[in-house]
């Protein structure tokens, strides 16, 4: 397994080392670590077992010493306590006329500070025939529990009335997994049925339960780990959208229709240990001042200083543009670098240019100057056209068996459209016999877009082979994020081999070919190392 995890790192490194396309601006490249199938908790190959309510299940009670993280999760924010908004979850009386509040949205929440909000109600429904009208808060076994999966749906009502005009960096519902059973759940905003009263834990049944806005396709997914610990459901986008729309409450529906899936069971607002009850945690997004906005744009511009350029200058024209930030440019040599960022390369040598930017945000105005060098126009490689032709053919062949959609392993439709456009532009350049360094640029664009496309496979955490059936090497997932990354980089490595291969040493090509071969074996499950075989290593010399 260690060999497999190192495999992609070496393949990526070699493909970068062997790159034949000139690079004049350096970008940060995220480090790639563990490669292989994503492991899940090993249950000894035995399926999770869940007993129907009332049948005396065998799951053990939570261990006593589990309160360190839980106590913190259950603490109310001093800011909200002072404002009198941190109410006991599940205690609001529906139907009672609320007292008039002098000023909503008046709570002061400091930037970059996590606070605890209010969950007004939580409850569950089971849609299995015969259970539709059961009030589960009165159940002997589930009165203090929320279940998600196996026909159970959990509902939350969040209090947003004090957050008018705010935007949050994150908003999460924090839950305690009291039984240690994991599950992947789906969730989204829910709509209370027209003509129905607001539900409470004492009244919620199938007939009056809220529905997702798109009942067949909830937008969000979360994993409840199979451990007795806290899990989080990220509701940041839903909370921010609701607050922006002026809504004072937000209904959330969580569930999973797969009847064969054991439900995750988390503690409810009725749970005896208050520190392990559901909580809403929020962190207000930092609002930048005009000075901070201008300084950020200046910082981006100063990254250009010292760059060697052969194409359009990456001016940050759009940074904070929607918030009124403007940038005015001047150039010491507009014939070489114009104020719209276009580059005009000289035939006889490199040219240095100073670019000055004035950044304005509100009443604040800051300026900076950077120096760049425009490289002379270079002779086109005799192999550039042939490389582009082969790369286009390889990409089109790779796409023949590719499929876009929402199933595990399907690729992104949006990224396919972007790749198709780049291929179309490259073909147009070939037809026009454009010799102005365009071939190398088109090769670079195709590899970049292709890498994104073949790395966009939809992931799935479904276990297709347990650790017991996998020689104890951990559970195999249907299409893990590690597999998606490996597929992407194998494609990119093979594509890079087509770009001016005459410029590589034979040792370098052989080393990369061997890593690609091993990576493919890891993908198809045939990878293995014989203990009798002495590993051979090729050391590239150029």
């Amino acid at each position: 397994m260690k060999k497999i995890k190192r495999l992609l790192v070496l393949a990526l490194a070699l493909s970068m080392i062997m790159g034949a396309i000139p690079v004049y601006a350096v970008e940060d490249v995220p480090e790639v670590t563990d490669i292989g199938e994503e492991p899940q908790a090993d249950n000894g190959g035995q399926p999770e077992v869940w007993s129907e309510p009332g049948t005396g299940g065998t799951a053990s009670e939570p261990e006593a010493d589990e309160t360190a993280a839980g106590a913190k999760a259950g603490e109310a924010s001093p800011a909200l306590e002072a404002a009198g908004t941190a109410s006991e979850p599940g205690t609001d009386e529906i139907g009672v006329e609320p007292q008039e509040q002098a000023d909503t949205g008046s709570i002061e929440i400091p930037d970059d500070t996590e606070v605890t909000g209010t969950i007004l109600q939580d409850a569950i429904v089971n849609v299995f025939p015969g259970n539709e009208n059961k009030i589960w808060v009165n159940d002997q076994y589930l009165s203090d529990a929320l279940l998600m999966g196996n026909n159970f749906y959990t509902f939350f009502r969040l209090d947003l009335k004090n957050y008018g005009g705010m935007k949050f960096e994150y908003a999460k519902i924090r839950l305690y997994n009291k039984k240690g059973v994991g599950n992947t759940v789906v969730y989204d905003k829910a709509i209370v049925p027209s003509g129905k009263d607001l539900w409470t834990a004492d009244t919620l049944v199938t007939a009056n339960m809220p529905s997702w806005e798109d009942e067949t396709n909830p937008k969000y997914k979360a994993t409840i780990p199979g451990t007795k610990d806290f899990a989080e459901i990220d509701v940041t986008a839903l909370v921010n959208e609701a607050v922006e729309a002026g809504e004072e409450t937000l209904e959330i529906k969580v569930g999973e229709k797969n009847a064969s899936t054991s439900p995750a069971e988390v503690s409810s607002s009725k749970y005896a240990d208050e520190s392990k009850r559901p909580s809403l945690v929020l962190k207000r997004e930092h609002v930048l001042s005009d000075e901070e906005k201008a300084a950020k744009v200046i910082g981006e511009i100063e990254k250009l200083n010292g760059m060697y350029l052969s194409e359009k200058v990456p001016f940050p024209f759009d940074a904070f543009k929607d918030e009124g930030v403007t940038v005015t440019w001047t150039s010491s040599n507009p014939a070489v670098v114009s104020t719209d960022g276009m580059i005009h390369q000289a035939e006889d040598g490199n040219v240095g240019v100073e670019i000055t930017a004035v950044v304005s945000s509100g009443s604040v105005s800051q300026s900076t100057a950077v120096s760049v060098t425009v490289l002379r126009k270079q002779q086109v490689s005799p192999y550039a056209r042939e490389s582009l032709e082969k790369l286009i053919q390889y990409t089109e062949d790779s796409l023949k068996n590719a499929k876009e959609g929402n199933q595990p392993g399907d690729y992104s439709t949006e990224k396919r459209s972007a790749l198709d456009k780049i291929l179309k532009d490259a073909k147009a350049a070939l037809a026009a016999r454009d010799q102005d360094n365009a071939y190398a640029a088109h090769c670079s664009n195709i590899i970049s877009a292709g890498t994104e496309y073949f790395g966009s496979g939809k992931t799935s955490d479904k276990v297709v082979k347990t650790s017991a059936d996998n020689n104890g090497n951990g559970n195999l997932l249907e299409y893990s994020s590690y597999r998606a990354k490996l597929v992407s980089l194998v494609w990119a490595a093979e594509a890079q081999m087509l770009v001016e291969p005459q410029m590589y040493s034979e040792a370098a090509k052989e080393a990369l070919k061997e890593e690609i071969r091993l990576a493919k074996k890891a993908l198809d499950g045939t990878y293995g190392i014989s203990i009798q075989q002495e590993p051979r290593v090729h050391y590239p010399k150029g």
Side-chain angles (χ1 to χ4, degrees):
M1 293 299 292
K2 290 183 179 179
K3 176 64 177 177
I4 296 174
K5 293 180 179 179
R6 292 197 303 266
L7 182 57
L8 183 55
V9 179
L10 182 53
L12 176 61
L14 286 170
S15 65
M16 293 174 62
I17 292 172
M18 295 163 53
I21 300 171
V23 178
Y24 302 117
V26 178
E27 296 181 348
D28 290 333
V29 178
E31 180 181 355
V32 180
T33 55
D34 298 339
I35 303 303
E37 297 296 349
E38 185 174 1
Q40 289 189 343
D42 184 5
N43 295 317
Q46 298 300 317
E48 296 284 358
V49 178
W50 175 74
S51 301
E52 275 290 317
T55 62
T58 60
S60 61
E61 288 301 313
E63 297 176 7
D65 188 17
E66 296 172 324
T67 59
K72 184 177 181 180
E75 291 175 359
S77 159
L80 292 184
E81 284 182 346
T85 64
S87 64
E88 180 80 359
T91 59
D92 285 23
E93 294 184 6
I94 305 301
V96 178
E97 190 70 18
Q99 296 182 356
E100 182 177 352
Q101 301 214 2
D103 180 23
T104 60
S106 60
I107 287 180
E108 290 295 331
I109 299 180
D111 292 350
D112 302 322
T113 301
E114 184 178 283
V115 298
T116 302
T118 301
I119 298 179
L120 297 172
Q121 292 283 339
D122 57 43
I124 56 176
V125 164
N126 188 303
V127 299
F128 192 79
N131 290 329
E132 303 100 317
N133 297 317
K134 185 166 184 177
I135 304 296
W136 292 93
V137 72
N138 299 325
D139 184 81
Q140 178 182 357
Y141 298 97
L142 298 179
S143 60
D144 64 351
L146 302 173
L147 278 73
M148 294 163 279
N150 203 292
N151 294 304
F152 275 97
Y153 292 87
T154 289
F155 295 85
F156 298 99
R157 180 177 300 126
L158 310 184
D159 184 2
L160 306 180
K161 66 178 178 293
N162 295 299
Y163 304 140
M166 299 183 189
K167 188 173 182 180
F168 293 96
E169 180 180 330
Y170 62 76
K172 302 173 184 178
I173 300 174
R174 188 169 290 163
L175 305 168
Y176 179 73
N177 190 347
K178 61 198 296 278
K179 293 294 185 183
V181 176
N183 197 356
T184 299
V185 298
V186 291
Y187 63 99
D188 206 342
K189 178 181 179 180
I191 306 299
V192 176
S194 177
K196 301 289 184 179
D197 292 333
L198 286 177
W199 59 270
T200 69
D202 299 319
T203 64
L204 184 63
V205 293
T206 302
N208 67 342
M209 72 177 185
S211 300
W212 285 312
E213 291 183 303
D214 183 351
E215 189 64 19
T216 62
N217 188 31
K219 296 179 184 177
Y220 304 96
K221 182 174 73 172
T223 298
I224 307 297
T227 56
K228 293 180 181 179
D229 204 346
F230 284 89
E232 293 178 338
I233 295 178
D234 190 336
V235 292
T236 308
L238 295 173
V239 168
N240 282 332
E241 289 170 6
V243 171
E244 186 176 3
E247 298 174 11
E248 294 191 352
T249 60
L250 173 63
E251 305 279 336
I252 303 289
K253 176 181 178 181
V254 188
E256 174 56 75
K257 292 183 178 179
N258 187 350
S260 65
T261 303
S262 298
E265 182 176 340
V266 303
S267 57
S268 76
S269 58
K270 307 296 184 182
Y271 197 63
D273 186 344
E274 294 184 12
S275 69
K276 294 176 181 175
R277 293 174 180 175
S279 61
L280 173 64
V281 291
L282 312 100
K283 182 178 180 181
R284 187 175 181 183
E285 186 173 271
H286 178 62
V287 180
L288 295 176
S289 65
D290 287 332
E291 289 83 358
E292 289 173 316
K293 292 176 186 176
K296 279 185 172 291
V297 177
I298 289 290
E300 290 300 311
I301 293 172
E302 290 178 344
K303 292 179 182 179
L304 300 174
N305 194 48
M307 276 191 176
Y308 288 83
L309 306 168
S310 63
E311 54 186 25
K312 191 177 188 299
V313 178
F315 285 163
F317 283 119
D318 298 327
F320 301 106
K321 182 178 180 180
D322 294 340
E323 300 178 37
V325 177
T326 61
V327 184
T328 304
W329 302 88
T330 56
S331 171
S332 66
N333 192 340
V336 177
V337 179
S338 59
T339 54
D340 62 358
M342 297 307 298
I343 295 296
H344 306 279
Q345 294 172 276
E347 298 281 354
D348 54 353
N350 301 342
V351 179
V353 180
E354 183 175 87
I355 307 170
T356 302
V358 178
V359 180
S360 300
S361 179
S363 61
V364 175
S365 182
Q366 299 180 18
S367 65
T368 189
V370 295
S371 297
V372 299
T373 300
V374 177
L375 299 172
R376 69 179 179 84
K377 188 177 294 185
Q378 298 182 11
Q379 182 180 0
V380 177
S381 164
Y383 310 116
R385 182 181 180 86
E386 178 185 355
S387 296
L388 182 57
E389 290 173 338
K390 289 183 177 180
L391 183 57
I392 290 174
Q393 185 62 54
Y394 166 71
T395 304
E396 291 180 334
D397 289 344
S398 300
L399 291 172
K400 289 178 181 178
N401 296 320
K403 175 177 173 289
E404 295 78 40
N406 293 315
Q407 297 302 311
D410 288 351
Y411 299 114
S412 163
T413 302
E414 180 182 356
K415 294 188 184 299
R416 172 62 184 267
S417 298
L419 179 56
D420 285 342
K421 182 182 184 304
I422 287 172
L423 287 171
K424 181 179 178 181
D425 292 343
K427 289 179 179 180
L430 287 174
R433 303 195 68 82
D434 185 353
Q435 294 291 307
D436 189 19
N437 279 341
Y439 296 155
H442 285 297
C443 284
S444 178
N445 291 340
I446 290 173
I447 292 177
S448 177
T451 300
E452 287 196 21
Y453 172 76
F454 286 103
S456 68
K458 184 176 179 62
T459 58
S460 168
D461 295 336
K462 179 180 178 182
V463 176
V464 295
K465 184 182 290 187
T466 65
S467 182
D469 296 329
N470 191 31
N471 298 320
N473 291 322
N475 294 341
L476 292 182
L477 307 185
E478 189 171 24
Y479 200 89
S480 71
S481 58
Y482 297 102
R483 174 173 289 275
K485 177 65 72 174
L486 186 56
V487 168
S488 169
L489 291 181
V490 165
W491 182 90
E494 289 190 316
Q496 188 65 56
M497 290 283 289
L498 299 173
V499 180
E500 301 192 57
Q502 299 86 351
M503 307 300 292
Y504 311 150
S505 71
E506 288 302 316
K509 287 188 284 188
E510 286 301 317
L512 185 53
K513 285 179 182 178
E514 175 66 7
E515 298 301 333
I516 292 172
R517 184 185 70 82
L518 295 176
K520 287 183 173 180
K521 290 177 74 67
L523 288 171
D524 64 24
T526 62
Y527 177 80
I529 299 178
S530 171
I531 59 174
Q532 286 84 19
Q533 180 180 352
E534 184 71 22
R536 294 176 297 170
V537 179
H538 293 277
Y539 295 95
K541 296 183 179 179

